[in-house]
Amino acid sequence: MSDSTPHSGHIPAGGPAVGQDEWVARHAERRLIRGGPLGTLEDRLRRVPWWAWLIVFLAAFSLLPVVESSGYVRRVAFDTVLYMLLALGLNIVVGWGGLLDLGYVAFYGIGAYAYALLASPHYGIHLPTIVAVPAVVAIGAVVGLMLGLPSWRLTGDYLAIVTLFFLQLFQTIATNAQGLTGGPFGILNVDPFHLFGHDLAVQHGGVFAVSYLYVALGFFAVVYVALRFVNESRTGRAWRSLREDPLAAEAMGMPVNWLKLLSFSFGAAVAALTGTLFAALSASVFPLSFYFVLLITVYTMVILGGAGSQAGVVAGALIIGPLLELLRDASKSRIIFFVALVGALVLMGRRSRPVAIVAVATLVLGFLVHAVAGAIDPSWVAGEHQPGFAGFVDHWVIVPEHLARWIPPVSYVGVIGAALLCTMLRGLPRLVALVPTLYLGAFVWENVMLSKPEPARYIVLGLILIALMILRPNGLLGERRVEII
Amino acid sequence: MDTFIQLTIDALTLGSVYALIALGYTLVYGVLKLLNFAHGDVFMVGSFAGFGVFQALGGSDPTVPLWLFLSLVTLAGMAVCAALGVAIERFAYRPLRDAPRIAPLISALGVSFFLANSMQLLFGAAPRTYDTFAIHNAVLYTSGFDIGNVHMPLLRVITIVAAFVLMVALWLVVNRTQAGKAMRATSFDREAASMMGIDVDRVIVFTFVVGSALAGAAGVFFALRVPTTVSIGFVAGLKGFTAAVIGGIGSIPGAMAGGLLLGFAESYTQGYFPYVKDHTQWSDLVIFVILIAFMIFRPQGFFGRADIRKV
Amino acid sequence: MRKAIVLAFALLATSVAAASAQGSGSAADKSAAGYSCSKTITLPLVTPITGGAGFLGTEQASWAKLAVQQWAKKLGLKVKLVTGDTPVEQGATPGQALAQKYVADKSVLAVLGPATSGAVAVSSSTYFAAKLAHISPSATRTSFTQGPKRDATPAFFRDVPGDYVQGPTDAKFMINKLKVKKVVIMDFQEPYSLGLAAAVENTLKKGGVSTTRLSAPNTTTDYSAYVTKVPSDADIVFFPTQKPGDAQTFAQQLIEQGKKAKVFGSDGSNDSSQFKQPGSYVSNFAPDITGIKSDAAIIAAWKKQNPNKSVGSFGPPAYGAAQIAMTAISMACKAGHGSTTRAAVFHTIKKVRIKNWILGGSFRWSTKSNDPLNAKFYIFQIQPNGSYKLVG
């Protein structure tokens, strides 16, 4: 899926023309200069319309259950679709409206709770799915409007705080209002979706049933297309101008406050819709499912993909969702780490050849250190040995039999310090410093982080957020903002 | 009456900690116009750093005189946090100084997440208790003085007084020293300040040192009485910036007043709110509703100035 | 830069693909086809390893590991213990996802846990649908096995008694032994404490004791304001927390405010390294196994693997649960002549009897429910030196 319009064609020779943004023009120019087969391929891909990408993507995703019958993989795929939906919704508020909404997951929770109340034995109401889901979406949109009201008066940071309070308020109510929400016991036995005359079973023999995956994909397709049209409408253009410069937008006579409200409301509606899926699938809702960590996760997806780009945030969800799941597992998280390491080096290597030397030097250093350490005291390298790739790693990284208590904190802080130092150095010193840093990083990953996947996953998330904001705030597919000073 | 006095003591104890945290938010907001979401986690790191020194100096059986012991523990928390604050500013915020305002906010969220989880990775999720109760047969709890029938234990006296000493010291630094002047100038108008020959980078670093050190002290004062865990940063941060906002973010007396006010609100609602059937505890709800209303109707707080946007 | 992005994408895609190819290999899952007992059996332990209740899970994991080492070979099995993390802060999602993961893994014939009641409630139906028995060493919510409205399926077993024993035991001890007149009961707005608080309150009221109820949010750290609400003539504060450090704070703050009431903690606060205020009480589903003669060798082996750690009360039942699970698998294997199914293991569990039970005496199941027969709760008082002494 590409967000760029298919007709962003040729730039007349002789540089930028009158009335065209110079930076944009240059950008297109640069792209045209890139020759060779890769360049041609890129240009071809760019001409494929967005809906073709969407169809290909949906088709590929729907094939997944055919090739993979594990209920676990299907469940992860389903969760990823939920993340994609959540990211699309957050993108409206953050990417298009330019508002920092820290209460976003509360709407997800409101959607889940609203569906649970409308279709469960809790109050004995069992609305048909075809009624309940639109009702919940409407509720989400209305509550979104109400939360948006403070944005009449507030800007930036203040809005962030109010929305964060709203999330806390939602948590408090969900936990305390036992009559309404079941309190900490939650609401159980929520109805499954009932579509086309069938109850959609959540599982067959304990294995996750595919029907929900397809329903979720259907929701996703509808939301994606609808938002695409919204974005290309008057409202979408108005949002973009609001984000770029609220004051200028206001001066041009745009109903700025109304636009803010609208973006809140749209985002909330999408989140609420996602909530119905979650509640129907889990057949239960609990206050704790809508927590701050989830908020950060969705933010990372949006930022990584590129706030403002629909395709981007979907890509972000597609990367972060499975990544977080894979990092739970030591053997997989090991592979991811080393692939990421090599990947980072390759990316850097495009600009400076010596990076290849760094890689080789790190490899050599590893074997050297391993040999020396093993010669001094065999127990330093006597950690658990695994077959396959892990076995190779074991011959390269030191994995002591017993870690002394001081090693994890010292090595962890050490590698962070070393990495920060590398960012301050330039040229040859940096390359030299990079070698031990990389090796120390591998040591920390193998010895400290692999055994504690839960914090390790979120450390990765936090680092991605910080690094992205500094190195590439527009994410993978987002548009680079032209700062007007 | 006894209950009231007791709750007031609680409120002062809590409020002084909140005020110290709030000052860090307010100082940084003043010079950078940035809500430092990671500040609560700096507070948490401070409580752990203090705990390390506490244990190293003998734990509940201190090897040095009590006054020195408590001072060293507090200083350790402050020193570690000051260093951490400088590092965060240098690597997570400085590269974003000219980016759109949303960028450092998101980076701050990342830092907060990173700190909390790094601490969990290294030290686990188990709570850490400064065993002050066991020091010299609970001397910190049994001595002190009485107000009516209510006992005011020494430990609370120490933390409250120390917190106020730090606040007065801060006030003096900001209002009576050259560095404070530079800080005020920067917070008034960064660009103009740099044109007047003020090294803005240095001022910002100094601000982070001061603000983070205060958070470190707050972390120690907090954890001297109740267990600390790696996850307290989020709630503490929330309370701290709430206090800062109530007082009017950017205003130093505002942060102090806001912190105390929040302490009172929390203590009295917890103490006086009756238990409602069906196990509900609505005191939190009341606080959040007040806050949201406050934010909407008086976003500039008690001491803040209304924001005038320049085009 | 575009090229860089394409490259980054490709790399991420390959890494994700490579990683998921590694070890997933779980093709069509046919639990009915039978699993050869000579192959390695995966035994998952679902418990909070991280988060606020992480101490509980790490302790359980260390004991379950020991049980696998000591029993797998003896029972003729190859067993690999894996842990699934369900931090209590993250609600239902991890428990559900893990259930899917283990159902999909055909080398899993029985599951240990989930350790926390919340995780049991959301995943039991998935396990039951796959005929996968799960034995919890610590989920004590009454409605899992008793009463008309069940929160768990018949696939749920537990080797410790539930709160239907703990609540009345604690309350009766207060009435009969401590002769209490006035008791304050706290809850923390989470299911564990709410259930237990209600059970204790009921029995106390029936016994004519006057009770006061308090409720604090689960995020509370400083209880001082709640301590002011404790009447000065109250005898006991029942404090059913899952955070032992908080019970200690409360006990200290009672003293600080000159209240004479003693803290009475539940199984969740049974941790002698954190809750150590002399005079307080703690109840737990396991006795202090260091006093059981037949356990001496087990304890010695555990201490060797976990130097500098003290024997807690969450670990031994996990050892027991692992022992039951492996015994059942081994019995089912014998009955199936070298291969077995999840359903066979599920139906065998109730036949398991263990002669030298780690918690003392012998173990067998109740015939009425999936609870242990005649299991009881034990009450300890904390001594001036911080040790726990059995008093009831």
Side-chain angles (χ1 to χ4, degrees), chain C residues 369-385:
Chain C
S369 65
N370 292 348
D371 293 307
L373 184 71
N374 294 333
K376 58 176 195 168
F377 264 81
Y378 302 83
I379 292 163
F380 304 88
Q381 187 175 26
I382 303 177
Q383 302 300 304
N385 65 2

Side-chain angles (χ1 to χ4, degrees), chain C residues 39 56 61 112 123 128 162 167 194 238 252 285 293 305 332 354:
Chain C
K39 286 198 278 186
L56 184 158
L112 306 179
S123 59
F128 183 58
L194 284 169
F238 184 63
Q252 289 179 357
F285 43 69
K293 229 185 240 160
Q305 288 178 7
I354 289 172

Side-chain angles (χ1 to χ4, degrees), chain B residues 3 6-7 10 14 120 125 127 131 133 141 151 153 156 222 225-227 267 270-273 275 279 281 284, chain C residues 50-51 187 189 194 213-215 217 221-222 224-226 228-229 245 249 252-253 255-257 274 276-277:
Chain B
T3 309
Q6 179 64 49
L7 288 175
D10 286 345
L14 281 175
Q120 175 168 352
D131 207 349
F133 205 77
Y141 288 79
H151 180 63
R156 285 180 189 251
F222 169 84
R225 296 181 41 254
V226 296
S267 180
Q270 280 177 1
Y272 285 124
F273 238 75
Y275 171 79
H279 336 297
Q281 172 52 267
D284 269 16
Chain C
T50 57
D187 73 63
Q189 297 173 12
L194 284 169
R213 184 72 178 269
L214 296 178
S215 177
T221 44
D222 190 339
S224 204
Y226 296 96
T228 59
K229 291 180 166 181
T249 306
Q252 289 179 357
Q253 294 187 331
I255 297 170
E256 190 183 346
Q257 296 192 18
Q274 290 188 55
K276 52 192 173 187
Q277 189 56 42

Side-chain angles (χ1 to χ4, degrees), chain B residues 66 132-144 151 153-155:
Chain B
L66 195 54
T132 46
F133 205 77
I135 294 177
H136 304 329
N137 253 331
V139 66
L140 288 170
Y141 288 79
T142 47
S143 56
H151 180 63
L154 185 60
L155 186 60

